[in-house]
Amino acid sequence: MMTTLKAALVACLAGLALPAHAQDWQAVVDAAKKEGKVVIYDMALGAPYFLAVLKSFETKYGISVESLDLRASELAERIRTEQSAGRHLGDVEMITTTMIEEQRNNGDFVERLPAIPNAANLRPPFKATDYSVPAYVQPMGILVNTRLVKESEIPTSWNDLTDPRWQGRILSDDVRPLGSGNTMFAILEHQMGGDFNARLAGQKPVFSRDMRNDARRVARGEYAIYVPQIFAFASDLKGLPVKLVVPKEGAPYAEMDLAMLKNAPHPNAARLFIQHFLEADSQLLYANAWMPPVVTGVVERANRDAQPFASARLIGPARLAERPAMMALAKKLYP
Amino acid sequence: MTVSADDSLHDSGRPAPTARLFAALRLLRATAAGRIVGLALLVAVLALLSVYPLSMLLYGSLHSTPPGMAGTFNLDGYRDILTRENSITLVNTVGISLAKTVPSLALAVLLAWILARTDTPCRGALEVLVTLPFFIPPILTAMAWGMLGNPQVGLLNQLYQAITGSSAAPINVYSYGGVVWHMMQYSVPFLFLLIVDAFRAMDPSLEEAARMCGASRLRTFRTITLQLMLPALTGGAILSFIRGIENFESPLFFGAPAGIHVITTDIYDSINQRSPPQYQYATAVSFVIMALLFLIVLVQWRLLRGRSFATVSGKGYSPGIVRLGPWRWVTFAVCMLFFIVTVVLPVGQLLIGSFFKFFGFYQWDMLTFEHYEAVFGSSEFWRGFGNTMLLGLIGASATMVLGGLVAYISVRTKWRGRSLIDAMAWLPWMMPGIVLGVGFLWGFALLPRAIPIYGTIWALLLAYISLGTPLSVRVMSSAYAQLSFDIEECSRVHGASWLTTMWRIVIALSWPSFVVGWVLVFFGIMRELSASVLLYSIGSEVLSVVLLKLWVNGNAEQVSVIGLMMMVMVILFRWVQLGFTRRHLGTL
């Protein structure tokens, strides 16, 4: 009896010592621990930095994380089907900004996001919306084979890709369907001016659809250049004769956001997870894998080899409303 | 032949559950009502496995939005198909599939004849080796062939240039030829596996009769052997042609860079790379393809109707072996050449690459065991492996039993409604896997909560059974078509019950085909991705999903380690299967 009274007294004193918002957040943490589990629907497909964040969350809060990994379109359809069937199994989704926008346009799949304290630490250009908060970004650069491209010839601008010397020597992710290729195409259409994509098409880049293998094809010398090279994927190629270039105009990027699914079975754990993902330590795991963090105070802590990429200038993102026009333009330029 | 019609199944030691099962079967068999109940049960099972997911897709093709969302019924999906661009894509698809099916069939027949009917040296080992390509994940062979046959730095072109001094690069896998070649690596062993036992299970007296009547060896082969193989050959060719139409990996890897579009890449794009996904269009295209493919199946039914292909009769025989003399070394060389080109070259790349940090960079300082350590030390891999083994063992067994039942009713009875169940079993084979996976997702998710399938490992099991049933039915149909009705009748005349006849005659004689079908279905389950990725839930990850994750995360070398491990399993399975087949044939 005495022990219980003591514990209650300590709790009250602790409560008095904390500001009101901290008390509120402590209530979220307690409720999350009581829920004991959070289910994440994501498209990380077992990426090591993502798994490291999950592990740190489990260690810190003792809440188990279940992650269902799917490719983007499969993830969106699975969420849509489950929600339509009244099966509310997932708590949080981590998916592209445009897909969340699409979900919002097509149905009622995403919950209005409750306050996430760490959202206050977002750095420009990242902003939270009523329904989602940025999680990480996938910037894209130019990958060159250092055995085939002399140091003096390495492109430093997106415009350099239109130099006649690269005609037929560029491998590219297909820019016509939805994906990284089209994201690059759409952002550069705005950034580089009207005729840039037409001039690039004149270089007759060869299209492929397997980004991971394509980078290796460039490393093996099949092609001199690969675009768009996702920064994080290039961080895995250390030791190969390739170099990732961040063009002076900046790197087009795709943004991944965190959102809470409708009727999430573990809403407090979901909220706590989103908060944890925006912690500087979590973001540092991404920065060390060459991805610019979305919160302040992280870039400077990144490993030396990751610094140039974590601090890269970003251009974009692509807008959902422009997609049909951009896909049509790409199809016109690459019949 | 050791099977005796006088033998009976009056084994007193049979456990009670089996006895109850046999009693139930006897009841079903004994009465017309029982037969109707049995058929109705079978129809119900097939309806759940194939008609239900397809009906969800049909809804999707006729509705402006996918199931569960407000929308309107219209024919927009079908209307969008009617474009010139789509006609060209269709012609491309059919052309590529024909271009790979015809030579694949010819090569498979040649290999099957060599390995089943001649005295070619090392036939046992060769029979295992020539089938290996079928079991390697296509993504791995695509990568390997990309390294071997790219026009810039491909090893084969470099070899050619070193030998001839020319700067030309005659091999380019990123072309029509590359797409066809990559498909053939799967279709030749697939067709070989489907027809080799039909070659083996043939009474040579028919061929001997032709020879005695003065027919040449070639004419005998053409007019007797091939004719009797017609169910197996046409069944296999149709399966292979349909698979060619639905093939996705080869056109994606080798066709896309050359601007070659096929229907499956079109469907893939409309689901995965349009904003928003065009499910109505994708499902509509799939149904049009399905209708076209069904016409081909109808042609086969017409072709075979009313003809007898029985080669296994009550007379004892052993498969006739053609003595080739010195020519047996030529046939040996043909098999070895096929093995070297389709297995040694690509798998050699994978094997060597798995010991280096990166594929294609074979430097001493990159030599490593880290990929093996990563795979075998991964709990996710072992969980996926365990789940896949469980699903593979149960799924392949259940699929073959179901396929055996459907095939029996379709081929060896005159029951009304047999064509219906045969057609129902065919359906999943004619729907592209990418779309069928969505059908299962929609179907299982929208089931009432009282049927707890969605989100469990059983959803995967049902999908695998559905996907494997067409193959199991074809394999077992071909086997049953070769059994003479005389032996069944002979058994019954000698007093054996229907069940005894089934067990001691029909099942006993078609057992080798059952085992081949089982191996094909088992490894089909191991490789299946389209449905797996949409239906797996946390904790029920399967190997194909693990492979996908590794690939997407740039761990191609680890994918190779798993691919090589799968090949070791194949060799083991095939060795056991062939040993079993030989022992079994030895008793006939």
Coordinates of all heavy atoms in Angstrom, one line a residue, chain A residues 45-47 66 69-70 73-74 77-78 80-82 85-87 102 106 177-178 207 209-210 212 216-217 219-220 222-223 236 238-241 323 327, chain B residues 66-67 69 85 147 150 152-153 174 253 257 269 272-273 275-276 279 358 361 366 442 444-447 449 454 533-534 536 538 549 551-554 557:
Chain A
L45 N 11.3 -2.2 -48.4 CA 11.7 -3.5 -48.8 C 13.0 -4.0 -48.1 O 14.0 -4.5 -48.7 CB 11.9 -3.6 -50.3 CG 10.5 -3.5 -51.0 CD1 10.7 -3.1 -52.5 CD2 9.8 -4.8 -51.0
G46 N 13.1 -3.8 -46.8 CA 14.2 -4.3 -46.0 C 15.5 -3.5 -46.1 O 16.5 -4.0 -45.8
A47 N 15.4 -2.2 -46.5 CA 16.6 -1.4 -46.6 C 17.2 -1.3 -45.2 O 16.5 -1.1 -44.2 CB 16.2 0.0 -47.1
E66 N 6.0 -4.2 -36.6 CA 5.8 -5.1 -37.6 C 5.8 -4.3 -38.9 O 5.1 -3.4 -39.1 CB 4.5 -5.9 -37.5 CG 4.6 -6.8 -36.3 CD 3.3 -7.7 -36.2 OE1 2.4 -7.5 -36.9 OE2 3.4 -8.7 -35.4
D69 N 6.5 -4.9 -46.1 CA 7.2 -4.2 -47.2 C 6.6 -4.6 -48.6 O 6.5 -5.7 -48.9 CB 8.6 -4.6 -47.3 CG 9.4 -4.4 -46.0 OD1 8.9 -5.0 -45.0 OD2 10.4 -3.7 -46.0
L70 N 6.2 -3.6 -49.4 CA 5.7 -3.9 -50.7 C 6.2 -2.8 -51.6 O 6.6 -1.7 -51.2 CB 4.2 -3.8 -50.7 CG 3.5 -4.9 -49.9 CD1 2.0 -4.6 -49.7 CD2 3.6 -6.2 -50.7
S73 N 3.1 0.6 -55.9 CA 1.8 0.5 -56.4 C 1.1 -0.7 -55.6 O -0.1 -0.6 -55.4 CB 1.8 0.2 -57.9 OG 2.6 -1.0 -58.1
E74 N 1.8 -1.7 -55.3 CA 1.2 -2.9 -54.6 C 0.8 -2.4 -53.2 O -0.2 -2.8 -52.7 CB 2.2 -4.0 -54.5 CG 2.5 -4.7 -55.8 CD 3.9 -5.3 -55.9 OE1 4.7 -5.2 -55.0 OE2 4.1 -6.0 -56.9
E77 N -2.4 -0.3 -53.4 CA -3.6 -1.1 -53.7 C -3.9 -2.0 -52.5 O -5.1 -2.2 -52.2 CB -3.3 -2.0 -54.9 CG -4.5 -2.9 -55.4 CD -5.8 -2.1 -55.6 OE1 -5.8 -0.9 -55.7 OE2 -6.9 -2.7 -55.5
R78 N -2.9 -2.5 -51.8 CA -3.2 -3.3 -50.6 C -4.0 -2.5 -49.6 O -4.9 -2.9 -49.0 CB -1.9 -3.9 -50.1 CG -2.2 -4.8 -49.0 CD -1.4 -6.1 -49.1 NE -1.6 -6.9 -47.9 CZ -0.9 -8.0 -47.6 NH1 0.0 -8.4 -48.5 NH2 -1.1 -8.7 -46.5
R80 N -5.7 0.3 -50.1 CA -7.0 0.6 -50.6 C -8.0 -0.6 -50.4 O -9.1 -0.4 -50.0 CB -7.0 0.9 -52.1 CG -8.2 1.5 -52.7 CD -8.4 1.3 -54.2 NE -8.5 -0.1 -54.5 CZ -9.5 -0.9 -54.4 NH1 -10.6 -0.4 -53.9 NH2 -9.5 -2.1 -54.7
T81 N -7.5 -1.8 -50.8 CA -8.4 -3.0 -50.7 C -8.8 -3.3 -49.2 O -9.9 -3.5 -48.9 CB -7.7 -4.2 -51.3 OG1 -7.3 -3.9 -52.6 CG2 -8.6 -5.4 -51.4
E82 N -7.8 -3.2 -48.4 CA -8.0 -3.5 -46.9 C -9.0 -2.5 -46.4 O -10.0 -2.9 -45.7 CB -6.7 -3.5 -46.1 CG -5.9 -4.8 -46.4 CD -4.6 -4.8 -45.5 OE1 -4.4 -3.9 -44.7 OE2 -3.9 -5.8 -45.6
A85 N -12.5 -3.0 -47.6 CA -13.1 -4.2 -47.0 C -13.3 -4.1 -45.5 O -13.7 -5.0 -44.9 CB -12.2 -5.5 -47.3
G86 N -13.0 -2.9 -45.0 CA -13.1 -2.7 -43.5 C -12.1 -3.5 -42.7 O -12.3 -3.7 -41.5
R87 N -11.0 -3.8 -43.3 CA -9.9 -4.5 -42.5 C -8.8 -3.5 -42.2 O -8.1 -3.1 -43.1 CB -9.3 -5.6 -43.4 CG -10.2 -6.8 -43.7 CD -9.6 -7.8 -44.6 NE -10.5 -8.8 -45.0 CZ -10.8 -9.9 -44.4 NH1 -10.2 -10.2 -43.3 NH2 -11.7 -10.8 -44.9
E102 N -2.8 11.2 -53.9 CA -3.7 10.3 -54.7 C -4.7 9.6 -53.9 O -5.9 9.5 -54.2 CB -2.9 9.3 -55.5 CG -3.5 8.9 -56.8 CD -2.5 8.2 -57.7 OE1 -2.0 7.2 -57.4 OE2 -2.2 8.8 -58.8
N106 N -8.7 9.9 -54.0 CA -9.6 8.8 -54.4 C -10.4 8.2 -53.3 O -11.2 7.3 -53.5 CB -8.7 7.7 -55.0 CG -8.1 8.2 -56.3 OD1 -8.6 9.1 -56.9 ND2 -6.9 7.6 -56.6
P177 N 7.0 5.6 -68.3 CA 6.1 5.2 -67.2 C 6.4 6.0 -65.9 O 7.5 6.6 -65.8 CB 6.3 3.7 -67.1 CG 7.7 3.5 -67.6 CD 8.0 4.6 -68.6
L178 N 5.5 5.8 -65.0 CA 5.7 6.4 -63.7 C 6.9 5.7 -63.0 O 7.2 4.6 -63.2 CB 4.5 6.0 -62.8 CG 4.2 6.8 -61.6 CD1 3.9 8.3 -62.0 CD2 2.9 6.3 -61.0
F207 N 16.9 3.0 -72.7 CA 16.1 2.8 -71.5 C 16.2 1.4 -70.9 O 16.3 0.4 -71.7 CB 14.6 3.1 -71.8 CG 14.4 4.6 -72.1 CD1 13.4 5.0 -73.0 CD2 15.0 5.5 -71.3 CE1 13.1 6.3 -73.2 CE2 14.8 6.9 -71.5 CZ 13.8 7.3 -72.4
R209 N 14.8 -0.9 -67.1 CA 13.8 -0.8 -66.0 C 14.3 -1.5 -64.7 O 13.4 -1.9 -63.9 CB 12.5 -1.5 -66.5 CG 12.0 -0.9 -67.8 CD 11.2 0.3 -67.6 NE 9.9 0.0 -67.0 CZ 8.8 -0.3 -67.7 NH1 8.8 -0.4 -69.0 NH2 7.7 -0.6 -67.1
D210 N 15.5 -1.6 -64.5 CA 16.0 -2.3 -63.3 C 17.2 -1.4 -62.7 O 18.3 -1.7 -63.0 CB 16.5 -3.7 -63.7 CG 16.9 -4.5 -62.4 OD1 16.9 -3.9 -61.3 OD2 17.3 -5.6 -62.6
R212 N 18.8 -1.0 -60.0 CA 19.9 -1.6 -59.3 C 20.9 -2.2 -60.2 O 22.1 -2.0 -60.1 CB 19.5 -2.7 -58.3 CG 18.8 -2.1 -57.1 CD 19.8 -1.3 -56.2 NE 19.3 -1.1 -54.9 CZ 20.0 -0.6 -53.9 NH1 21.3 -0.3 -54.1 NH2 19.5 -0.4 -52.7
R216 N 25.1 -1.2 -62.1 CA 26.2 -2.1 -62.2 C 26.6 -2.3 -63.7 O 27.8 -2.5 -64.0 CB 25.8 -3.5 -61.6 CG 25.8 -3.4 -60.1 CD 24.9 -4.5 -59.6 NE 24.9 -4.5 -58.1 CZ 25.6 -5.5 -57.4 NH1 26.1 -6.5 -58.0 NH2 25.5 -5.4 -56.1
R217 N 25.6 -2.2 -64.6 CA 26.0 -2.3 -66.0 C 26.9 -1.1 -66.4 O 27.8 -1.3 -67.2 CB 24.7 -2.2 -66.9 CG 23.9 -3.5 -66.7 CD 22.5 -3.4 -67.5 NE 22.7 -3.3 -68.9 CZ 21.7 -3.0 -69.7 NH1 20.5 -2.8 -69.3 NH2 22.0 -3.0 -71.0
A219 N 28.9 0.4 -64.2 CA 30.2 0.0 -63.6 C 31.0 -1.0 -64.4 O 32.2 -0.9 -64.5 CB 29.9 -0.5 -62.2
R220 N 30.3 -1.9 -65.1 CA 31.0 -2.9 -65.9 C 31.4 -2.3 -67.2 O 32.1 -3.0 -67.9 CB 30.1 -4.1 -66.1 CG 30.0 -5.0 -64.8 CD 29.4 -6.3 -65.2 NE 28.0 -6.3 -65.6 CZ 27.0 -6.4 -64.7 NH1 27.2 -6.7 -63.5 NH2 25.7 -6.4 -65.1
E222 N 29.3 -1.1 -69.7 CA 28.4 -1.2 -70.9 C 28.0 0.2 -71.4 O 27.9 0.4 -72.6 CB 27.1 -1.9 -70.5 CG 27.2 -3.4 -70.5 CD 25.9 -4.1 -70.2 OE1 24.9 -3.7 -70.9 OE2 25.8 -4.9 -69.2
Y223 N 27.9 1.1 -70.4 CA 27.6 2.5 -70.8 C 28.4 3.4 -69.9 O 28.9 3.0 -68.9 CB 26.1 2.8 -70.6 CG 25.2 2.1 -71.5 CD1 24.7 0.8 -71.2 CD2 24.9 2.6 -72.8 CE1 23.9 0.1 -72.1 CE2 24.1 2.0 -73.7 CZ 23.6 0.7 -73.3 OH 22.9 0.0 -74.2
D236 N 25.9 2.0 -52.1 CA 26.3 0.6 -52.0 C 27.3 0.2 -53.0 O 27.7 -1.0 -53.0 CB 25.0 -0.2 -52.3 CG 23.9 0.0 -51.3 OD1 24.2 0.4 -50.2 OD2 22.7 -0.3 -51.6
K238 N 30.4 1.3 -53.3 CA 31.8 1.7 -53.0 C 32.8 0.5 -53.4 O 32.5 -0.6 -53.1 CB 31.9 1.9 -51.5 CG 31.3 3.2 -51.1 CD 31.3 3.3 -49.5 CE 30.2 4.2 -49.1 NZ 29.8 4.1 -47.7
G239 N 33.8 0.9 -54.1 CA 34.8 -0.1 -54.6 C 34.7 -0.3 -56.1 O 35.6 -0.9 -56.7
L240 N 33.6 0.1 -56.7 CA 33.4 0.0 -58.1 C 33.9 1.2 -58.8 O 33.9 2.3 -58.2 CB 32.0 -0.3 -58.5 CG 31.4 -1.7 -58.0 CD1 30.0 -1.8 -58.4 CD2 32.2 -2.8 -58.5
P241 N 34.3 1.1 -60.1 CA 34.8 2.3 -60.8 C 33.7 3.2 -61.3 O 33.5 3.4 -62.5 CB 35.5 1.7 -62.0 CG 34.8 0.4 -62.3 CD 34.3 -0.1 -60.9
R323 N 1.4 15.1 -63.7 CA 1.8 13.8 -64.2 C 1.3 13.4 -65.6 O 2.1 13.0 -66.4 CB 1.4 12.7 -63.2 CG 2.5 12.3 -62.3 CD 2.1 11.1 -61.5 NE 3.0 10.9 -60.4 CZ 2.7 10.2 -59.4 NH1 1.6 9.6 -59.3 NH2 3.6 10.0 -58.4
M327 N 3.9 12.6 -68.6 CA 4.0 11.3 -69.2 C 3.7 11.4 -70.7 O 4.3 10.7 -71.5 CB 3.0 10.3 -68.5 CG 3.5 10.0 -67.0 SD 2.3 9.1 -66.0 CE 2.7 7.4 -66.5
Chain B
P66 N -12.0 -0.1 -58.8 CA -11.8 -1.4 -58.3 C -12.9 -1.8 -57.3 O -13.5 -0.8 -56.8 CB -10.4 -1.4 -57.7 CG -9.7 -0.2 -58.2 CD -10.8 0.8 -58.5
P67 N -13.0 -3.1 -56.9 CA -14.0 -3.4 -56.0 C -13.9 -2.7 -54.6 O -12.8 -2.4 -54.2 CB -13.8 -4.9 -55.7 CG -13.1 -5.4 -56.9 CD -12.3 -4.2 -57.4
M69 N -15.1 0.4 -54.2 CA -15.2 1.9 -54.3 C -16.4 2.2 -55.2 O -16.8 1.5 -56.1 CB -13.9 2.4 -55.0 CG -12.7 2.3 -54.1 SD -11.2 2.9 -54.9 CE -11.5 4.6 -55.0
E85 N -1.8 0.8 -81.7 CA -0.6 0.4 -80.9 C -0.8 -0.9 -80.2 O 0.1 -1.8 -80.1 CB -0.5 1.5 -79.8 CG 0.9 1.7 -79.2 CD 1.0 2.8 -78.2 OE1 0.1 3.7 -78.3 OE2 1.9 2.8 -77.4
M147 N 25.3 -10.0 -68.8 CA 26.8 -9.9 -68.7 C 27.5 -10.6 -69.8 O 28.5 -10.2 -70.3 CB 27.3 -10.4 -67.3 CG 27.0 -9.5 -66.2 SD 26.9 -10.3 -64.5 CE 28.5 -10.9 -64.4
N150 N 25.9 -8.7 -73.7 CA 25.7 -7.4 -74.1 C 26.7 -7.0 -75.2 O 27.8 -7.5 -75.2 CB 25.8 -6.4 -72.9 CG 27.2 -6.2 -72.4 OD1 28.0 -5.5 -73.0 ND2 27.5 -6.9 -71.3
Q152 N 28.4 -4.3 -75.8 CA 29.5 -3.5 -75.5 C 30.7 -4.3 -74.9 O 31.8 -4.3 -75.4 CB 29.1 -2.3 -74.5 CG 28.2 -1.3 -75.2 CD 26.8 -1.7 -75.1 OE1 26.4 -2.8 -74.6 NE2 25.9 -0.8 -75.5
V153 N 30.4 -4.9 -73.8 CA 31.5 -5.6 -73.1 C 31.1 -7.0 -72.7 O 31.7 -7.6 -71.8 CB 31.9 -4.8 -71.8 CG1 32.6 -3.5 -72.1 CG2 30.7 -4.6 -70.9
Y174 N 19.9 -7.8 -75.9 CA 18.9 -6.8 -75.8 C 18.2 -6.6 -77.2 O 18.4 -5.6 -77.9 CB 19.4 -5.4 -75.3 CG 20.0 -5.6 -73.9 CD1 21.4 -5.7 -73.8 CD2 19.2 -5.7 -72.8 CE1 22.0 -5.8 -72.5 CE2 19.7 -5.8 -71.6 CZ 21.1 -5.9 -71.4 OH 21.6 -6.1 -70.1
F253 N 13.4 -7.2 -69.3 CA 14.9 -7.1 -69.2 C 15.5 -6.9 -70.6 O 16.4 -6.0 -70.7 CB 15.5 -8.3 -68.5 CG 15.3 -8.3 -67.0 CD1 14.6 -9.4 -66.5 CD2 15.6 -7.2 -66.2 CE1 14.3 -9.4 -65.1 CE2 15.3 -7.3 -64.8 CZ 14.7 -8.4 -64.3
P257 N 14.9 -2.3 -73.4 CA 15.9 -1.5 -74.0 C 15.9 -1.4 -75.5 O 16.4 -0.5 -76.1 CB 17.2 -2.2 -73.5 CG 16.8 -3.0 -72.3 CD 15.4 -3.4 -72.6
D269 N 2.7 -1.9 -66.7 CA 2.7 -0.5 -66.7 C 1.4 0.1 -66.3 O 1.3 1.1 -65.5 CB 3.0 0.1 -68.1 CG 4.5 -0.1 -68.4 OD1 5.3 -0.4 -67.5 OD2 4.9 0.1 -69.6
N272 N 1.2 -0.6 -62.5 CA 2.2 -0.2 -61.6 C 2.8 1.2 -62.0 O 3.5 1.8 -61.1 CB 3.4 -1.2 -61.6 CG 3.0 -2.5 -60.9 OD1 2.9 -2.5 -59.7 ND2 2.8 -3.5 -61.7
Q273 N 2.6 1.6 -63.2 CA 3.3 2.8 -63.6 C 2.4 3.8 -64.3 O 2.8 4.5 -65.2 CB 4.5 2.5 -64.4 CG 5.4 1.6 -63.5 CD 6.8 1.3 -64.0 OE1 7.0 1.0 -65.2 NE2 7.8 1.5 -63.2
S275 N -0.8 6.7 -63.2 CA -1.3 7.5 -62.1 C -2.7 8.0 -62.4 O -2.8 8.9 -63.3 CB -0.3 8.6 -61.8 OG -0.8 9.5 -60.8
P276 N -3.7 7.5 -61.8 CA -3.8 6.4 -60.9 C -3.7 5.1 -61.6 O -3.8 5.1 -62.9 CB -5.1 6.5 -60.2 CG -6.0 7.3 -61.2 CD -5.0 8.1 -62.0
Y279 N -6.6 -0.2 -63.4 CA -7.1 -1.6 -63.2 C -8.1 -2.1 -64.2 O -8.1 -3.2 -64.6 CB -7.6 -1.8 -61.7 CG -6.5 -1.9 -60.7 CD1 -6.1 -0.8 -59.9 CD2 -5.7 -3.1 -60.6 CE1 -5.1 -0.9 -59.0 CE2 -4.6 -3.1 -59.7 CZ -4.3 -2.1 -58.9 OH -3.3 -2.1 -58.1
F358 N 31.2 -8.0 -55.8 CA 30.3 -7.6 -56.9 C 30.4 -8.5 -58.1 O 31.5 -8.9 -58.4 CB 30.7 -6.1 -57.4 CG 30.5 -5.1 -56.3 CD1 31.6 -4.5 -55.7 CD2 29.2 -4.6 -55.9 CE1 31.5 -3.5 -54.8 CE2 29.1 -3.6 -55.0 CZ 30.2 -3.1 -54.4
F361 N 33.2 -8.3 -61.2 CA 34.5 -7.7 -60.8 C 35.3 -8.7 -60.0 O 35.2 -8.8 -58.8 CB 34.3 -6.4 -59.9 CG 33.7 -5.3 -60.8 CD1 32.3 -5.2 -60.9 CD2 34.5 -4.4 -61.4 CE1 31.8 -4.2 -61.7 CE2 33.9 -3.4 -62.2 CZ 32.6 -3.3 -62.3
M366 N 38.4 -8.6 -53.9 CA 37.0 -8.6 -53.7 C 36.4 -10.0 -53.4 O 35.2 -10.2 -53.3 CB 36.3 -8.1 -55.0 CG 36.5 -6.6 -55.2 SD 35.2 -5.9 -56.2 CE 35.7 -4.2 -56.3
W442 N -8.2 -9.0 -54.0 CA -9.5 -8.5 -53.9 C -10.5 -9.6 -53.4 O -11.3 -9.3 -52.5 CB -10.1 -8.1 -55.3 CG -9.4 -6.9 -55.9 CD1 -8.6 -6.0 -55.2 CD2 -9.5 -6.3 -57.2 NE1 -8.2 -5.0 -56.0 CE2 -8.7 -5.2 -57.3 CE3 -10.1 -6.8 -58.4 CZ2 -8.5 -4.4 -58.4 CZ3 -10.0 -6.0 -59.5 CH2 -9.2 -4.9 -59.6
F444 N -9.9 -12.4 -51.6 CA -9.7 -12.8 -50.2 C -10.0 -11.7 -49.2 O -10.6 -11.9 -48.2 CB -8.3 -13.4 -50.0 CG -8.1 -14.7 -50.7 CD1 -6.8 -15.0 -51.1 CD2 -9.1 -15.6 -51.0 CE1 -6.5 -16.2 -51.8 CE2 -8.8 -16.7 -51.7 CZ -7.6 -17.1 -52.1
A445 N -9.7 -10.5 -49.6 CA -9.9 -9.4 -48.7 C -11.4 -9.1 -48.5 O -11.9 -8.7 -47.4 CB -9.2 -8.1 -49.2
L446 N -12.2 -9.4 -49.6 CA -13.6 -9.1 -49.5 C -14.5 -10.2 -49.0 O -15.7 -10.1 -48.9 CB -14.1 -8.6 -50.9 CG -13.5 -7.2 -51.3 CD1 -13.9 -6.9 -52.7 CD2 -14.0 -6.1 -50.4
L447 N -13.8 -11.3 -48.6 CA -14.6 -12.5 -48.1 C -15.1 -12.0 -46.7 O -14.5 -11.2 -46.0 CB -13.6 -13.7 -47.8 CG -13.3 -14.6 -49.0 CD1 -12.3 -15.6 -48.6 CD2 -14.6 -15.3 -49.5
R449 N -15.8 -11.9 -42.8 CA -14.8 -12.1 -41.7 C -14.9 -13.5 -41.1 O -13.9 -14.0 -40.6 CB -15.1 -11.1 -40.6 CG -14.9 -9.6 -41.0 CD -13.5 -9.3 -41.3 NE -13.3 -8.0 -41.7 CZ -13.2 -6.9 -40.8 NH1 -13.1 -7.2 -39.5 NH2 -13.1 -5.7 -41.3
Y454 N -7.9 -14.1 -45.4 CA -7.1 -13.0 -45.7 C -6.1 -12.7 -44.6 O -6.4 -12.7 -43.4 CB -7.9 -11.7 -45.9 CG -7.1 -10.5 -46.3 CD1 -6.7 -10.4 -47.6 CD2 -6.7 -9.6 -45.4 CE1 -5.9 -9.3 -48.0 CE2 -5.9 -8.5 -45.8 CZ -5.5 -8.4 -47.1 OH -4.7 -7.3 -47.5
V533 N 3.5 -11.5 -53.3 CA 3.8 -10.2 -52.8 C 2.5 -9.4 -52.4 O 2.6 -8.6 -51.5 CB 4.6 -9.4 -53.9 CG1 3.8 -8.8 -55.0 CG2 5.5 -8.4 -53.2
L534 N 1.4 -9.8 -53.0 CA 0.2 -9.1 -52.6 C -0.5 -9.8 -51.5 O -1.4 -9.1 -50.8 CB -0.8 -9.0 -53.8 CG -0.4 -8.0 -54.9 CD1 -1.2 -8.2 -56.2 CD2 -0.6 -6.6 -54.4
Y536 N 1.1 -11.9 -49.0 CA 1.9 -12.3 -47.8 C 1.5 -11.3 -46.7 O 1.2 -10.2 -46.9 CB 3.3 -12.4 -48.1 CG 4.2 -11.1 -47.8 CD1 4.8 -10.9 -46.6 CD2 4.3 -10.2 -48.8 CE1 5.5 -9.8 -46.4 CE2 5.0 -9.0 -48.6 CZ 5.6 -8.8 -47.3 OH 6.4 -7.7 -47.1
I538 N 2.7 -10.2 -42.4 CA 3.9 -10.2 -41.5 C 4.0 -11.6 -40.9 O 3.1 -12.0 -40.2 CB 3.7 -9.1 -40.5 CG1 3.7 -7.7 -41.2 CG2 4.8 -9.1 -39.5 CD1 3.0 -6.6 -40.5
K549 N 13.1 -8.5 -52.0 CA 13.7 -7.5 -51.2 C 15.2 -7.4 -51.3 O 15.7 -6.3 -51.4 CB 13.3 -7.8 -49.7 CG 11.9 -7.7 -49.3 CD 11.8 -7.9 -47.8 CE 10.3 -7.9 -47.4 NZ 10.2 -8.1 -45.9
W551 N 16.9 -8.2 -54.0 CA 17.2 -7.6 -55.3 C 17.0 -6.1 -55.3 O 17.9 -5.4 -55.8 CB 16.3 -8.3 -56.3 CG 16.7 -7.8 -57.7 CD1 16.1 -6.8 -58.4 CD2 17.7 -8.4 -58.5 NE1 16.8 -6.7 -59.7 CE2 17.7 -7.7 -59.8 CE3 18.6 -9.5 -58.4 CZ2 18.6 -8.0 -60.8 CZ3 19.5 -9.8 -59.4 CH2 19.4 -9.0 -60.6
V552 N 15.9 -5.7 -54.7 CA 15.6 -4.2 -54.7 C 16.6 -3.5 -53.9 O 16.9 -2.3 -54.2 CB 14.2 -4.0 -54.2 CG1 13.9 -2.5 -54.0 CG2 13.2 -4.6 -55.2
N553 N 17.2 -4.1 -52.9 CA 18.2 -3.5 -52.1 C 19.6 -3.7 -52.6 O 20.6 -3.4 -51.9 CB 18.1 -3.9 -50.7 CG 17.0 -3.2 -49.9 OD1 17.1 -2.0 -49.7 ND2 15.9 -3.8 -49.6
G554 N 19.7 -4.1 -53.9 CA 21.0 -4.2 -54.5 C 21.9 -5.4 -54.1 O 23.1 -5.3 -54.2
E557 N 24.1 -10.5 -55.4 CA 25.0 -11.6 -55.1 C 24.3 -12.6 -54.1 O 24.4 -13.8 -54.2 CB 26.3 -11.1 -54.6 CG 27.2 -10.4 -55.6 CD 26.7 -8.9 -55.8 OE1 25.9 -8.5 -55.0 OE2 27.2 -8.3 -56.8

